[in-house]
Amino acid sequence: MLVVASESAIIATVNGVHDMGGMDGFGAVVPEKNEPVFHADWERRMYALATSVMGAAQVNIDEFRHAIERIPPARYLASSYYERWLAAAEMLLVERGVVTREELLAKQDASIDPAWIANAVANRGPAPIKEKSGSKPPRARFSKGDRVRARNLNPAGHTRLPRYVRGKAGVIARDWGVFVFPDTNAHHAGTKPQHCYSVSFDARELWGKSANASSRDRVLIDLWEDYLEPIAAKSTARSIKKRKK
Amino acid sequence: MLVVASESAIIATVNGVHDMGGMDGFGAVVPEKNEPVFHADWERRMYALATSVMGAAQVNIDEFRHAIERIPPARYLASSYYERWLAAAEMLLVERGVVTREELLAKQDASIDPAWIANAVANRGPAPIKEKSGSKPPRARFSKGDRVRARNLNPAGHTRLPRYVRGKAGVIARDWGVFVFPDTNAHHAGTKPQHCYSVSFDARELWGKSANASSRDRVLIDLWEDYLEPIAAKSTARSIKKRKK
Amino acid sequence: MSDHHNTDDSGPAARVKALEALLTEKGLIDPAAIDAIVDTYETRVGPRNGARVVAKAWMDPAYRKRLLADATSAVAELGFAGPEGGHLVAVENTDRVHNLVVCTLCSCYPWPVLGLPPVWYKSFAYRSRAVSDPRGVLEDFGLELPREVEVRVWDSSAEIRYLVIPQRPKGTAKMSEDELAAIVTRDSMVGVAKVEAPRT
Amino acid sequence: MSDHHNTDDSGPAARVKALEALLTEKGLIDPAAIDAIVDTYETRVGPRNGARVVAKAWMDPAYRKRLLADATSAVAELGFAGPEGGHLVAVENTDRVHNLVVCTLCSCYPWPVLGLPPVWYKSFAYRSRAVSDPRGVLEDFGLELPREVEVRVWDSSAEIRYLVIPQRPKGTAKMSEDELAAIVTRDSMVGVAKVEAPRT
């Protein structure tokens, strides 16, 4: 299937099926013995093609990830890993105008089912906005040991804040320094550099007390500063205010 | 595909792909003009078959819903509505021993792709437990106007507590009276009758301030008492205790 | 897209045929009973029932009151009852409030008054977005609501089934109850459309 | 199950062939460069790199210290660097703590030390359950951890890439660094297995 964005439908992919942390129903993990690096020659070519052509097409890593997230959910789950890379590469190269749909189809074997060659839903996210210039190097708002809460953000487009931590309380375990912000970078809406932290969450905070976890178990996840808010007087004040209503 | 539970793998389906409230990427809603009630004769027969045979097979509605949730995610998303009913009906009838796999396959057209006839992951949930007898008619723990929080429950098996409200604060809008509890009933683990409430959540509590919603917009959802905890001194005490650490 | 119909796919058709044949052989179902169920939902139970309820509520203030207080009983007055109708609740649209019904987890729907749900109601697009972006979903149906209007989404997660009473359109003062019932659409009773007055 | 390989499906193979031919024609890629990339990850960059890092850390306390303080630099000392390796972090398993690495959102993995990830690491089963039920996932790999051991799951959501330093097994005191490197498995460096001493 050649997944190409239609012009009209611009739909967010936050909370897409790719955000699968904590989902259920996918069964057991089944390792393959003596697994080769690639399972078919086209996987070899696809891997190398993707890693080499993205630069030429001015596609950044966040954008490539977002393109994979824009694959419609049923197709996403039905595709193998490199099929998703292939769909994302076709999507981006056609959108960039590097190649055209027609050129791609003309090159393909006539035996391909034409039903696979259909336009798919576009999930482009917000239109690009201009980056502010002259911004100062960002300071860290949080430091090790600070209690923070992952915000309940549902932005239109790409994000690296998974559903399973949103609204949950954790502790800053480490400040990794300043990184480009994927939520804007994926949409060419600025690099918005900011601190990224290792944030530690108790497993029971994430999954409740019924979880098959010991009280010590935890999940550490790397979260950008914009994903976090401090837990402090503010939070308590809010719950008191609510109770007064 | 004949989805039949294997004996070994007993996996939960809470947080399955069926729990799609708030997910993204499925595109626009596309209504069909002058839509018929059924789109094919097999859909007609399937609908009527399912509604009439479940009683004979002693399958309750929660169990039937759970069977649909046990369809592996990729297959779930790739199937049409009545294909999911079909998969669930086959699964349950074979598990109950009402029919056997072999009988079903023998009846089917030889032209069916054998690859479709494969065992699938079992997502049965917990083993049945016995219902306590002589329990008193349950009293309502909450009443209209009470502030409550949906618990962060991730039980193994069926639940009607969707992910998108877990951990969120709302208000009891109405007490609907006493209903059978699906989380246990689906697994023949007792009817556990209890009050079920209409709980009102501000859209912004659920989706954050960035949501395309007015401050008045809300979602009302029916939640059983076991899904809820009061918001009161307890909650504030907890956050104060945490800050003291 | 994913909620396609396999009309041209022999797979499910063959499997359903096998299932029906097997269950009939075993004496677990009666093909005549299957026919009767199909007939019921194809020809007798559908949104025309709900339309009669709504029209009556528009015409008869006492009935409207009973409907809002106990929809199961008020609907039964008109002879409508059955599966998925044991706990009906009517919610009324006004100038200030717009109600919308969804079932995010499966496809719960008030069968006795609306019949079986349309494909869009069961679609992943509707189930996923109706709770998080109801205004966007309504726009898919061509309905743009002012920000002042409160949107209330009802997620049918339990056994309560919701019927939206749409607003009676202006310019319908002289219409009879039967005439009004004829303009009430299924979509308006799920909350994704308004009822339009007939153009004269 | 869903992460199948379409080895017998001409679909993706034909599409990749078309894409490569087209991009080559347009001068955007060089097939020889493609060959070189493939060769790199099939024959040169893989878990043997990580095994050397781990073996050195086991043998050389000063190196272990440098590795835990700044894995990117410590790994570079052995000549390993490249894409997905700009921000390496080493986390150490002990009697009390067991580390496990996942990428729930895609497939982030420390390429310079482990090569490209195996299918199970990219599978939906692993991505979904590693954060919510890590102990259950470890049991899928035959590893049952005592409740007293703290499980730390690292979800690689940003640009940091994690390498687990497994525990050095007992009975390996006399082994050389090269011998140790030979017993360190890929799975142990992702955190789904322990390193076993060779049976003598």
Side-chain angles (χ1 to χ4, degrees):
Chain A
M1 181 188 58
L2 186 56
V3 181
V4 179
S6 72
E7 284 75 35
S8 55
I10 307 288
I11 296 164
T13 52
V14 61
N15 304 344
V17 76
H18 71 279
D19 182 1
M20 44 179 69
M23 281 187 73
D24 243 316
F26 291 108
V29 180
V30 185
E32 179 183 347
K33 285 210 172 170
N34 303 314
E35 183 180 338
V37 175
F38 299 104
H39 290 76
D41 192 53
W42 71 264
E43 292 193 349
R44 270 185 198 91
R45 307 310 291 180
M46 188 61 236
Y47 170 75
L49 263 180
T51 51
S52 60
V53 84
M54 290 303 141
Q58 292 185 295
V59 171
N60 66 48
I61 178 67
D62 297 310
E63 221 177 340
F64 186 67
R65 288 188 186 131
H66 187 231
I68 292 174
E69 296 163 8
R70 286 159 55 199
I71 298 169
R75 177 69 58 196
Y76 184 103
L77 293 188
S79 302
S80 71
Y81 184 72
Y82 287 112
E83 282 178 322
R84 298 197 290 277
W85 278 42
L86 169 60
E90 287 174 338
M91 205 190 292
L92 288 166
L93 292 170
V94 170
E95 284 171 10
R96 286 282 183 289
V98 174
V99 301
T100 66
R101 258 174 71 90
E102 294 65 34
E103 285 175 323
L104 274 177
L105 295 179
K107 280 280 177 210
Q108 289 180 29
D109 192 307
S111 70
I112 294 175
D113 181 355
W116 279 63
I117 302 159
N119 274 319
V121 176
N123 286 317
R124 282 199 219 180
I129 50 166
K130 274 211 172 174
E131 186 171 9
K132 284 173 199 164
S133 59
S135 54
K136 291 177 189 171
R139 289 194 188 171
R141 184 177 179 191
F142 304 110
S143 44
K144 190 177 167 172
D146 283 1
R147 288 189 58 76
V148 291
R149 189 177 298 281
R151 292 177 193 269
N152 182 16
L153 300 174
N154 294 265
H158 182 67
T159 188
R160 298 292 282 186
L161 173 67
R163 282 184 288 188
Y164 78 86
V165 297
R166 286 185 216 150
K168 300 297 195 297
V171 176
I172 301 282
R174 201 154 154 191
D175 180 352
W176 295 125
V178 173
F179 286 80
V180 163
F181 190 50
D183 300 37
T184 46
N185 194 45
H187 307 296
H188 290 262
T191 53
K192 216 181 170 183
Q194 58 190 270
H195 284 260
C196 181
Y197 306 88
S198 175
V199 185
S200 175
F201 293 90
D202 287 353
R204 291 183 175 178
E205 165 76 6
L206 298 177
W207 316 109
K209 279 170 193 163
S210 63
N212 174 29
S214 91
S215 59
R216 288 197 203 87
D217 291 355
R218 44 196 174 117
V219 174
L220 292 106
I221 178 168
D222 299 324
L223 299 175
W224 275 261
E225 197 164 279
D226 276 8
Y227 298 158
L228 300 170
E229 60 188 9
I231 294 186
K234 220 176 174 182
S235 162
T236 311
R238 193 180 60 181
S239 56
I240 286 167
K241 205 169 72 186
K242 275 186 181 167
R243 281 193 305 142
K244 278 188 184 164
K245 265 186 194 166
Chain B
M1 181 190 57
L2 186 55
V3 180
V4 178
S6 73
E7 285 74 36
S8 55
I10 307 289
I11 297 164
T13 51
V14 61
N15 304 344
V17 75
H18 71 279
D19 182 0
M20 44 179 68
M23 282 187 72
D24 244 316
F26 291 108
V29 180
V30 185
E32 179 183 346
K33 285 210 172 169
N34 304 316
E35 183 181 337
V37 175
F38 299 104
H39 291 76
D41 193 52
W42 72 265
E43 293 194 348
R44 271 185 199 91
R45 307 308 291 179
M46 188 61 237
Y47 170 75
L49 263 181
T51 52
S52 60
V53 84
M54 290 304 141
Q58 293 186 292
V59 171
N60 67 49
I61 179 69
D62 296 310
E63 223 176 341
F64 186 67
R65 286 187 187 131
H66 187 232
I68 293 174
E69 295 164 8
R70 285 158 57 199
I71 299 169
R75 177 69 59 196
Y76 184 104
L77 292 187
S79 302
S80 71
Y81 184 72
Y82 287 112
E83 282 177 323
R84 298 196 291 276
W85 278 43
L86 171 59
E90 287 174 337
M91 203 189 293
L92 288 167
L93 292 171
V94 170
E95 284 171 9
R96 284 284 182 289
V98 174
V99 301
T100 66
R101 261 174 69 91
E102 293 66 33
E103 286 176 322
L104 275 177
L105 295 178
K107 280 281 177 208
Q108 289 180 27
D109 192 305
S111 70
I112 295 175
D113 181 354
W116 279 63
I117 303 162
N119 274 319
V121 175
N123 286 315
R124 283 198 216 179
I129 49 165
K130 272 210 173 175
E131 186 171 8
K132 285 174 198 163
S133 59
S135 54
K136 291 178 191 171
R139 288 192 189 173
R141 184 178 180 189
F142 304 110
S143 45
K144 189 175 169 173
D146 283 359
R147 287 188 59 75
V148 291
R149 190 177 298 280
R151 293 176 192 269
N152 182 17
L153 300 175
N154 294 264
H158 182 67
T159 188
R160 298 293 282 184
L161 172 67
R163 281 184 287 188
Y164 77 87
V165 298
R166 283 185 217 152
K168 300 297 196 296
V171 176
I172 301 282
R174 201 154 154 191
D175 180 352
W176 295 125
V178 173
F179 285 81
V180 164
F181 190 50
D183 300 39
T184 47
N185 195 45
H187 306 296
H188 290 264
T191 53
K192 215 179 173 183
Q194 57 188 272
H195 284 259
C196 180
Y197 306 88
S198 175
V199 185
S200 175
F201 293 89
D202 288 353
R204 292 184 175 179
E205 165 75 4
L206 297 178
W207 315 109
K209 279 171 192 163
S210 61
N212 174 29
S214 91
S215 59
R216 286 197 204 88
D217 292 355
R218 43 195 174 117
V219 174
L220 292 105
I221 177 167
D222 300 325
L223 299 176
W224 274 262
E225 198 164 277
D226 276 8
Y227 297 157
L228 301 170
E229 62 188 9
I231 295 186
K234 221 176 175 182
S235 161
T236 311
R238 194 181 57 181
S239 56
I240 286 167
K241 204 171 71 187
K242 277 186 182 168
R243 280 192 306 142
K244 278 187 183 165
K245 268 186 195 170
Chain C
M1 193 197 65
S2 40
D3 237 318
H4 59 278
H5 310 291
N6 292 62
T7 43
D8 57 346
D9 177 353
S10 66
R15 283 159 61 202
V16 173
K17 211 171 160 185
L19 196 58
E20 184 172 353
L22 201 55
L23 295 172
T24 306
E25 269 180 28
K26 289 179 182 277
L28 287 163
I29 54 161
D30 172 3
I34 300 293
D35 291 341
I37 294 171
V38 169
D39 182 62
T40 300
Y41 288 98
E42 266 196 323
T43 65
R44 294 196 297 113
V45 178
R48 290 300 100 222
N49 294 3
R52 284 190 50 206
V53 171
V54 168
K56 190 172 175 68
W58 284 349
M59 293 294 281
D60 178 349
Y63 183 76
R64 174 182 162 276
K65 210 173 164 186
R66 292 200 299 282
L67 181 65
L68 289 171
D70 178 356
T72 316
S73 302
V75 162
E77 287 180 34
L78 302 190
F80 309 137
E84 297 293 302
H87 306 278
L88 293 174
V89 167
V91 292
E92 192 178 38
N93 284 350
T94 66
D95 286 341
R96 292 187 182 177
V97 174
H98 184 91
N99 295 282
L100 179 72
V101 181
V102 64
C103 174
T104 59
L105 295 170
C106 47
S107 60
C108 297
Y109 196 72
W111 292 359
V113 282
L114 296 185
L116 300 184
V119 166
W120 64 256
Y121 183 85
K122 302 177 288 188
S123 72
F124 305 143
Y126 187 74
R127 286 170 51 192
S128 60
R129 277 174 60 226
V131 283
S132 56
D133 184 22
R135 289 173 186 268
V137 165
L138 291 174
E139 282 170 27
D140 288 349
F141 285 89
L143 183 58
E144 202 165 334
L145 289 180
R147 299 281 291 180
E148 313 85 73
V149 174
E150 173 191 328
V151 174
R152 281 187 201 161
V153 181
W154 299 83
D155 187 353
S156 320
S157 50
E159 298 308 318
I160 322 300
R161 297 291 169 265
Y162 297 91
L163 176 72
V164 175
I165 310 176
Q167 283 187 282
R168 179 171 176 169
K170 283 172 185 165
T172 58
K174 291 179 184 171
M175 288 170 73
S176 71
E177 195 174 311
D178 283 352
E179 286 169 337
L180 287 171
I183 62 168
V184 177
T185 61
R186 177 197 62 203
D187 287 6
S188 72
M189 293 182 282
V190 184
V192 296
K194 297 195 172 203
V195 176
E196 305 286 345
R199 301 190 181 189
T200 45
Chain D
M1 194 197 67
S2 40
D3 237 319
H4 57 280
H5 310 291
N6 292 62
T7 42
D8 57 349
D9 179 353
S10 65
R15 283 158 61 203
V16 172
K17 211 172 161 186
L19 195 58
E20 184 171 354
L22 201 56
L23 294 172
T24 306
E25 270 180 28
K26 290 180 182 277
L28 287 162
I29 54 163
D30 173 2
I34 300 293
D35 292 341
I37 294 171
V38 169
D39 181 60
T40 299
Y41 287 97
E42 265 194 325
T43 64
R44 295 196 296 113
V45 178
R48 292 300 100 222
N49 293 4
R52 284 190 50 205
V53 171
V54 168
K56 189 171 175 68
W58 284 348
M59 294 293 280
D60 178 349
Y63 183 76
R64 173 181 161 276
K65 209 172 164 185
R66 292 200 299 281
L67 181 65
L68 288 171
D70 178 356
T72 315
S73 302
V75 161
E77 287 181 33
L78 303 191
F80 309 137
E84 297 292 304
H87 308 277
L88 293 175
V89 167
V91 291
E92 192 179 37
N93 286 349
T94 65
D95 287 340
R96 291 188 183 179
V97 174
H98 184 91
N99 294 282
L100 178 72
V101 181
V102 64
C103 174
T104 61
L105 295 170
C106 48
S107 59
C108 298
Y109 196 72
W111 293 358
V113 281
L114 296 185
L116 300 183
V119 165
W120 64 257
Y121 183 85
K122 302 178 285 188
S123 72
F124 304 144
Y126 187 75
R127 286 169 53 191
S128 59
R129 277 174 60 227
V131 282
S132 56
D133 183 23
R135 289 172 186 269
V137 164
L138 291 175
E139 282 170 28
D140 288 349
F141 285 89
L143 183 58
E144 202 165 333
L145 290 180
R147 299 282 290 181
E148 312 85 71
V149 173
E150 174 192 328
V151 174
R152 281 187 200 160
V153 180
W154 300 83
D155 187 353
S156 321
S157 50
E159 298 308 319
I160 321 300
R161 299 292 169 263
Y162 298 92
L163 176 72
V164 175
I165 309 176
Q167 285 187 280
R168 179 170 175 172
K170 284 172 185 164
T172 58
K174 291 180 183 168
M175 289 171 72
S176 72
E177 195 174 311
D178 283 352
E179 285 168 337
L180 287 170
I183 63 168
V184 176
T185 61
R186 177 197 62 202
D187 289 6
S188 72
M189 293 183 280
V190 183
V192 295
K194 296 196 171 201
V195 176
E196 306 286 344
R199 300 190 182 190
T200 47

